Structure formats: structure tokens, C-alpha cells
Amino acid sequence: MTRIKNNNQFIKESILESLKQLDLEHIWHPCTQMKDHENVPLIPIKYAKGAYLYDFDDKSYIDCVSSWWVNLFGHCNDSINNAIITQLQNLEHIILAGFTHEPIIRLSKRLCDMLPQELQKCFYADNGSSAIEVALKMSFHYFFNKGEKRKFFLSLTNSYHGETFGALSVGNVDLYKKIYSPLLLQNMTTIVPSLSFAHKDTNAFLSHDYSHELESLQKILKTHGNHIIAFILEPLVQCAGNMNMYHHEFVRESCSLCKEYGIQIIFDEIAVGFGRTGSMFAFEQCGIIPDYLCLSKGISGGYMPLSVVVTTNEIYNAFYAPYNQIQKAFLHSHSYTGNALACASANAVLDIFEKENIIAKNKILSVFILKQFERLKESDKVANMRQCGMILAFDIVRTKRKRAGLFVFMEGLKKGLLLRPLGNTIYFMPPYIITEEEICFVVRNLQEILKIV
């Protein structure tokens, strides 16, 4: 019996090592210095359920990062699974030029009904960076159609909006952008504020004084305002910018200043939309309605690639012209635009939000998360703990480790946690279905890791 068991274990280990070897022979992983995998383990995942991923040894890992911020309601969610299976029996995909289908019509109507009445037109793509490209191109083309020549975009320092050329142009994280600078669009940056906290034992804000940042913006606008096409920002949280959080009043005031110069507003809610910041959409807390709202990631619950730019009838009408004015048309397309399976999963996601009162539940859960994570403040390695809705982050300080974030990642794997720090910033951005018991498990293990970081 023991011999059979050992043989089975040997076979399992052989299969696992073969998978790892084949992966490293043929796959170039994203956001990865591949040489790291000489020392950093590559973990093939066999299956997933709820908040857990399971490897080929059936070891479980709590998905603390929602698999890059996309998974809202857990892996293999029964409702979303069933919606995709049902859709698969009827239609998997069709060309969206000249054709349409019920799932995308229903999804578009539902999104527009959820948004302010100004936002009534949906243009679909298949990932977040593509949505940003759509918004940038559409904004430039809008002014072209109006006979205005504007050439600059405006974004915030420390911003990240994706890694295609247009998205990189309006980003401000050198790690992603610097090498490609000669190829990028013309962009200006204005200073982003950061929320300050009163003391390590409280989350109270020291102040909301961002007069310096607004003065910086006003100087840019006085000189270049009439030449700026659009101001793009992630409202409330710069996610890939080390989870920098800033106040809703700055969003409102900075956007209002830009509007005085006819500058359009693009809100990148690819990561912060669909309940992440405590409201369904972050802009709801900011008192400003954007000209373009970019959505992706959680829109399909982490199931299918999908993104959408929601814009106004006024912008749509600027492109509405007869065929002999084809240069006015927005000739942007993706082969999988409006994929029926992706739209079915997105409709299932909206069903869950509606039926289960998720936003109200998240407000209660986010309070519990903060209360538990505040225990980490007992460590002198923890600084600047911050929270916005279902996003919590803190920074590791006073460590001699050159790559503290990588160390936390490695130790987390040993303890059954999938964490993916941003430098020395540790963040917790779990699926909304995570339980209080699972949250406590995460905190207990982070306490142990902080003792040796």
C-alpha cells in the first residue's frame, strides 16, 4: 500500500515538474523578470473555487489579490458558470459590425441605467489598456471633428493606465514607461496628492489640504489649457501606483478646473470600478461626471476579457455623419468586441450585485477588514496603512531586505496566501465573497511574516 502511494506521489511530482519545465520553455509571463524564476517558484494551479486556488498537491492559497483585481465573486462561481454555459448553447461570438446580440444589448442598457443620464453610449473592447486607447483616440478625434487642434493629454504623477502605447503615454511610472518614451504621445503631468494619516494607531486623515497640487494644475492650465485634449485619472486610488489614495474633493476640483478650458475628462475605473472603492463606481463619490468612463477587470467577474468605454450622446453625435464624411467615423475595432460569452458573464455579475446587495455588504466587510488589519500596526515594520472600500494597503519600512515585497510573496506562498506586492507596498484586494474567518487567517499569517521581514 505504501509502495503504491509512493508511486502515485512520484507520478504526481513528475507531472508537476514537467508542467513547470514546459511552461518556462515556451511561456513569457507578464510583468515578470523571467530570470527570477531560477529562484522564485512557478506554481501551476490545477483548480480553483471561491477565494481559493489549489495547486497539483491540493495545497490551497487564498487569492488575496483577486487574480489581478478581476475576480469579484470567487472562482468557479455557480451563477456565472451557468450563465456562460447557457449562452454557449446559443451563441459564442459574432462580428459586432453590422450585427448585434441580446447579451450586449441587455448589458449596455443595464450599465447606462446605472450611470448618470449623460452617459448613454457604450463602445466595447476586450481589456483595460484597449479601453484607455479607445478613450484617448475618441477624445482626440472629437476635437478634430469639431475643427479644434489640441495636441496634449494631461494625467497625474504616479499614474498607471496600461501598457499599450497610448496608455503608457498618459502613465507616469518609469518602470513601465521610460524605455518607450521616444515612441509615446505628448502628455503633461500634474501633481497628485496623497492622503496623510494622523498616527500609526489611527486611520484619521491629517488634512485634506491640496492647495499646492491645485496651484500646480492651474499654472499648467493657464499656459497650455487650450491645447489639452483630455485629463485622465483613476478616481480615489492609483492602484498600480503603489495603491496611492487621494481625496474625492481633489478629483472634483481638479476636473472642474480642466472643464473651464473645455478639456474632456476620462475616468479610468478599470481597477476601481464595480464596488472596489465602496460605491459601485468611484466617480459617484467625487461629484463629477466624466466624459468617458473606462471599465474592465471586474466587469466579467474575472471570467472573460471585456472592457467598455461609456460616453455621452454629445460626443457620439460629433462622429455621426454620412459616408462621404468617413474621416469623421470612429474606425476602431477589435475582433472579439462585444463577445457574447463575456457579455453573458457581465450580466451575471450585475445580477449578483442586484440580488445580493453587494455594495451594502462590502461596507460592513471593509470595516471588519480594517479592524483585523490594524493588528499589524503592532509591528514597527508597518507604515501608512490605508483603506478605500475593499482595497487596503500598507508599506513595509525598517527592513534590510532589498526586495521586501518579494520576500513577503514567497513567505505568503508557504503559508497559503497569494499576495503580489507592489515594491514594498503590501495590499489586500480580495474577492467580495471572502469570509471573516479567511480574513483573520490572512492577518495571522502576515503577523508571522512581519516578524522576519
Side-chain angles (χ1 to χ4, degrees):
M1 196 73 174
T2 303
R3 184 175 181 180
I4 293 173
K5 183 178 179 181
N6 289 341
N7 284 342
N8 289 340
Q9 184 65 28
F10 175 78
I11 293 170
K12 183 189 290 186
E13 290 175 359
S14 297
I15 292 172
L16 183 58
E17 289 307 311
S18 176
L19 285 173
K20 291 179 181 179
Q21 182 179 344
L22 286 170
D23 179 290
L24 293 174
E25 284 179 5
H26 300 293
I27 300 175
W28 194 340
H29 288 261
C31 280
T32 302
Q33 178 56 278
M34 290 301 295
K35 188 174 174 62
D36 272 355
H37 280 305
E38 293 178 6
N39 302 301
V40 177
L42 180 68
I43 301 178
I45 295 299
K46 187 176 182 180
Y47 63 101
K49 184 66 178 175
Y52 291 91
L53 308 174
Y54 296 86
D55 66 18
F56 278 71
D57 292 319
D58 294 322
K59 179 178 178 179
S60 63
Y61 305 85
I62 293 181
D63 191 349
C64 299
V65 299
S66 297
S67 290
W68 250 341
W69 320 340
V70 300
N71 190 285
L72 301 188
F73 299 119
H75 298 276
C76 290
N77 179 283
D78 291 341
S79 296
I80 303 175
N81 282 3
N82 290 335
I84 293 174
I85 291 168
T86 299
Q87 182 59 42
L88 191 58
Q89 309 306 314
N90 299 302
L91 175 67
E92 79 297 343
H93 178 68
I94 57 164
I95 180 175
L96 200 65
F99 292 84
T100 190
H101 52 81
E102 189 274 338
I104 197 169
I105 295 169
R106 182 165 173 255
L107 175 61
S108 302
K109 178 66 164 60
R110 296 176 79 182
L111 287 173
C112 291
D113 286 348
M114 296 168 68
L115 295 169
Q117 61 182 3
E118 290 87 345
L119 297 171
Q120 288 297 309
K121 288 294 188 293
C122 298
F123 193 100
Y124 287 88
D126 48 23
N127 65 79
S129 294
S130 293
I132 298 299
E133 299 290 330
V134 167
L136 296 176
K137 287 177 65 178
M138 198 176 283
S139 185
F140 170 83
H141 202 158
Y142 168 85
F143 285 107
F144 174 86
N145 286 352
K146 291 289 187 179
E148 284 192 54
K149 294 183 179 179
R150 297 187 177 221
K151 59 182 179 179
F152 300 110
F153 289 99
L154 177 67
S155 60
L156 295 172
T157 56
N158 193 54
S159 59
Y160 171 93
H161 297 288
E163 293 168 40
T164 48
F165 281 136
L168 277 176
S169 299
V170 293
N172 187 242
V173 180
D174 276 352
L175 176 65
Y176 305 103
K177 178 176 181 174
K178 189 173 182 180
I179 191 70
Y180 306 106
S181 294
L183 303 175
L184 303 182
L185 306 175
Q186 297 184 75
N187 183 66
M188 298 177 175
T189 55
T190 188
I191 304 169
V192 66
S194 296
L195 289 177
S196 299
F197 298 93
H199 188 269
K200 69 173 290 185
D201 295 326
T202 179
N203 268 8
F205 301 136
L206 272 174
S207 71
H208 298 156
D209 181 13
Y210 32 76
S211 55
H212 171 66
E213 289 84 359
L214 290 175
E215 287 171 6
S216 173
L217 173 59
Q218 286 174 322
K219 289 179 182 178
I220 293 172
L221 294 176
K222 285 179 181 178
T223 305
H224 304 286
N226 294 325
H227 301 287
I228 295 172
I229 302 162
F231 178 34
I232 180 171
L233 63 158
E234 283 181 285
L236 302 182
V237 186
Q238 294 181 312
C239 290
N242 293 91
M243 297 296 168
N244 178 50
M245 300 179 186
Y246 58 106
H247 201 265
H248 61 85
E249 290 181 6
F250 173 79
V251 177
R252 179 177 56 81
E253 294 187 29
S254 60
C255 290
S256 296
L257 287 172
C258 288
K259 281 182 171 290
E260 291 177 9
Y261 291 83
I263 297 167
Q264 294 189 326
I265 306 300
I266 302 171
F267 277 177
D268 174 354
E269 293 217 27
I270 288 158
V272 300
F274 295 100
R276 279 294 176 194
T277 64
S279 53
M280 189 64 173
F281 304 107
F283 79 86
E284 296 174 47
Q285 302 176 47
C286 301
I288 199 88
I289 299 171
D291 298 288
Y292 307 88
L293 178 64
C294 300
L295 302 170
S296 190
K297 288 193 182 289
I299 192 172
S300 69
Y303 271 71
M304 303 287 292
L306 182 68
S307 64
V308 62
V309 179
V310 191
T311 189
T312 67
N313 280 324
E314 193 272 333
I315 290 170
Y316 171 85
N317 288 334
F319 294 81
Y320 201 83
Y323 187 78
N324 62 3
Q325 298 179 38
I326 191 64
Q327 75 281 357
K328 282 193 171 184
F330 190 61
L331 301 178
H332 184 102
S333 61
H334 296 270
S335 299
Y336 283 91
T337 293
N339 175 263
L341 298 176
C343 292
S345 64
N347 277 311
V349 165
L350 294 186
D351 288 343
I352 296 172
F353 271 108
E354 292 173 4
K355 294 175 182 177
E356 300 185 21
N357 201 13
I358 297 299
I359 300 300
K361 288 181 179 179
N362 279 358
K363 288 180 179 178
I364 297 170
L365 189 59
S366 64
V367 171
F368 183 84
I369 288 171
L370 178 59
K371 183 178 180 180
Q372 297 305 311
F373 269 80
E374 282 183 330
R375 298 180 181 185
L376 301 183
K377 292 181 179 179
E378 296 171 4
S379 171
D380 64 356
K381 306 290 179 63
V382 172
N384 194 25
M385 185 171 287
R386 52 206 184 268
Q387 184 189 43
C388 183
M390 289 293 289
I391 305 171
L392 184 139
F394 62 89
D395 302 322
I396 294 181
V397 296
R398 299 185 181 90
T399 176
K400 294 182 180 179
R401 298 187 185 276
K402 292 182 179 179
R403 298 179 68 183
L406 178 63
F407 178 81
V408 171
F409 169 75
M410 299 275 281
E411 291 299 309
L413 292 178
K414 295 177 186 177
K415 295 178 180 296
L417 305 180
L418 169 57
L419 298 160
R420 188 177 170 85
L422 295 158
N424 284 3
T425 297
I426 312 301
Y427 67 90
F428 185 59
M429 205 165 169
Y432 301 159
I433 49 86
I434 196 165
T435 66
E436 292 184 354
E437 182 181 356
E438 290 160 351
I439 293 165
C440 291
F441 177 84
V442 172
V443 171
R444 285 197 303 272
N445 282 283
L446 277 172
Q447 285 177 312
E448 295 300 313
I449 293 171
L450 287 169
K451 291 176 182 178
I452 57 176
V453 75

